[in-house]
Amino acid sequence: MLAAEWMKLKRTRGFWLLVLAVCSLHVLELFSILNQTSPGRLTWDWTFYIHYKSMTVGLFPVMNALLIGYLIAAEFQQNTISGMLAYPLSRSSFLLAKYAIAVPVLAGLLALDLLLKGAAGWIVGFEPMTAAQWGKYAWCSVLLLLTSIAFFPLNACLSLYFRSYIPNIVLGVMIIVCCEAVWDRLDYSARFPWTFPAVVIGDYIGIPKRLVGSPELLSGALLLTAVFTIFLILSFVQIRRQDIRPHGG
């Protein structure tokens, strides 16, 4: 099932849109650094902190929504959902396969993201990163990947209900607006599930030390877990209630 999901994803434009989005963000950040009056004063920690903040509260909500939305909504748009649901396997296994294939796809995009950031630093004349620095920023990517998985079921529920990925994109844009609204309020940004990953990564990098060890971080982790658990159960309920419709002429 994973091989089949990967083949279907490669044939869609959604996968290449995600690659283009990651590359575009790095081009914009590179031009921003080059236009700084003193780009040499920037550090790896600071540039990675700003980058991961942009990824977490800016790009990733839409990327996550597009990826999961495309994986599920394409079944309805291409009229393959009936055959999929009629196959002699549990419906939950098909949904789990879509969740599972999204993980290495996002991991690959984050690996590309890390390499592009290293290349951008080399272009602007940063000191070469040490092995410890590569490991630290790779761990930030892992944190971003793990927290992004928590939003898979929410986006799946939207796609299963509306049978389209457009509502997912609308939700992603709304989340970006909400993230910008709460980011400057430390107590809110640590609790809000979509800004919580950026706060955790910022604390790990150390720029700035915002809420290390605070109860707000615990609240954010619990809310993130609740979002994942509630919508995971709802997504399984929804896939089991999907009706099998005949293919169109």
Side-chain angles (χ1 to χ4, degrees):
M1 284 192 295
L2 291 178
E5 293 297 336
W6 171 241
M7 290 178 63
K8 286 189 286 186
L9 183 61
K10 286 196 302 182
R11 294 173 183 172
T12 66
R13 289 172 293 180
F15 173 74
W16 300 108
L17 284 173
L18 296 177
V19 175
L20 179 62
V22 172
C23 295
S24 299
L25 177 61
H26 282 279
V27 171
L28 292 174
E29 289 181 350
L30 178 60
F31 277 109
S32 176
I33 293 175
L34 290 175
N35 287 328
Q36 299 265 353
T37 55
S38 301
R41 297 179 60 185
L42 296 175
T43 64
W44 279 116
D45 277 352
W46 179 255
T47 53
F48 266 100
Y49 167 69
I50 295 299
H51 173 70
Y52 280 115
K53 175 183 176 291
S54 300
M55 286 284 287
T56 305
V57 305
L59 184 62
F60 241 58
V62 174
M63 287 180 60
N64 196 318
L66 180 61
L67 175 59
I68 300 299
Y70 222 98
L71 282 170
I72 295 175
E75 301 288 353
F76 296 100
Q77 295 173 348
Q78 298 170 11
N79 203 19
T80 56
I81 187 68
S82 298
M84 185 189 78
L85 296 181
Y87 204 75
L89 286 173
S90 69
R91 295 184 175 192
S92 298
S93 64
F94 284 102
L95 190 57
L96 286 173
K98 293 184 180 297
Y99 291 156
I101 197 61
V103 174
V105 170
L106 280 182
L109 290 171
L110 286 169
L112 173 64
D113 172 74
L114 182 60
L115 292 174
L116 288 175
K117 178 54 67 179
W122 176 75
I123 291 173
V124 299
F126 280 19
E127 291 291 329
M129 281 196 290
T130 65
Q133 286 176 310
W134 280 108
K136 177 168 68 171
Y137 304 133
W139 179 243
C140 291
S141 296
V142 172
L143 288 174
L144 183 52
L145 174 64
L146 293 175
T147 51
S148 296
I149 294 172
F151 305 117
F152 285 1
L154 170 59
N155 288 302
C157 286
L158 281 177
S159 295
L160 289 168
Y161 183 80
F162 291 101
R163 305 190 174 194
S164 170
Y165 61 86
I166 301 302
N168 298 60
I169 305 301
V170 174
L171 176 65
V173 174
M174 292 174 60
I175 288 171
I176 291 174
V177 174
C178 293
C179 287
E180 292 297 331
V182 305
W183 178 250
D184 290 330
R185 293 288 303 273
L186 298 183
D187 51 342
Y188 290 162
S189 61
R191 291 188 175 100
F192 190 53
W194 285 269
T195 50
F196 170 77
V199 175
V200 171
I201 290 173
D203 281 342
Y204 177 70
I205 292 177
I207 301 179
K209 289 286 185 181
R210 294 165 66 90
L211 293 165
V212 178
S214 68
E216 287 84 357
L217 283 179
L218 178 59
S219 299
L222 292 175
L223 283 173
L224 192 67
T225 304
V227 168
F228 173 74
T229 304
I230 291 171
F231 285 101
L232 181 66
I233 295 171
L234 287 177
S235 67
F236 287 145
V237 172
Q238 281 183 285
I239 194 68
R240 290 170 183 168
R241 291 181 175 178
Q242 292 292 320
D243 56 335
I244 299 177
R245 299 179 180 180
H247 289 280

